[in-house]
Amino acid sequence: MLISPENRKIIEEHGWTYFLQHQLVGIIIFFSIFSFVGTAIFLKTSYNPRKMGILSSIIGFFLEFTIMKPEWVQNIFALKIGGDVIGAIIVSPLYWFMTWGGTIIHLQ
């Protein structure tokens, strides 16, 4: 999250203090809620890491396209598909698959 183009731009323009006060707290709250819901689903079902990764990716993309709308999503809406868009589309699911895979390995 800290290396995203949007966050780097905010840090360059306003500094770390502004970023920590206005951006990072929201990011932490969002991912805490998202992870809590995912953990509840995981504990109540018998989903494996692949199913949890797919579910998290779908919900994550839905939230990014409807609520968060980062720069790469706005580029998709403007039909400006470039390396940053392709990178974000690849990295987002990888994050969730690695997270759930690590969770399962840790619990075994």
Side-chain angles (χ1 to χ4, degrees), residues 46-97:
S46 60
Y47 288 172
N48 60 27
R50 184 181 312 151
K51 286 183 183 179
M52 287 304 296
I54 291 169
L55 179 64
S56 296
S57 295
I58 290 170
I59 293 170
F61 277 124
F62 174 78
L63 292 173
E64 286 177 331
F65 276 87
T66 58
I67 297 172
M68 297 170 60
K69 297 181 184 171
E71 186 176 340
W72 66 270
V73 169
Q74 293 174 16
N75 287 341
I76 291 174
F77 290 151
L79 300 175
K80 297 179 188 174
I81 310 288
D84 59 335
V85 172
I86 294 168
I89 290 172
I90 292 170
V91 169
S92 287
L94 281 177
Y95 169 80
W96 292 112
F97 282 101

Side-chain angles (χ1 to χ4, degrees), residues 6-80:
E6 296 89 10
N7 290 339
R8 282 194 311 234
K9 186 176 178 181
I10 290 169
I11 292 167
E12 288 172 4
E13 290 178 5
H14 303 285
W16 278 98
T17 304
Y18 177 87
F19 174 76
L20 292 173
Q21 290 174 343
H22 294 92
Q23 298 292 118
L24 191 60
V25 173
I27 292 169
I28 291 170
I29 291 171
F30 173 78
F31 279 102
S32 296
I33 291 169
F34 195 76
S35 296
F36 175 75
V37 171
T39 302
I41 291 169
F42 172 71
L43 293 174
K44 293 203 170 270
T45 64
S46 60
Y47 288 172
N48 60 27
R50 184 181 312 151
K51 286 183 183 179
M52 287 304 296
I54 291 169
L55 179 64
S56 296
S57 295
I58 290 170
I59 293 170
F61 277 124
F62 174 78
L63 292 173
E64 286 177 331
F65 276 87
T66 58
I67 297 172
M68 297 170 60
K69 297 181 184 171
E71 186 176 340
W72 66 270
V73 169
Q74 293 174 16
N75 287 341
I76 291 174
F77 290 151
L79 300 175
K80 297 179 188 174

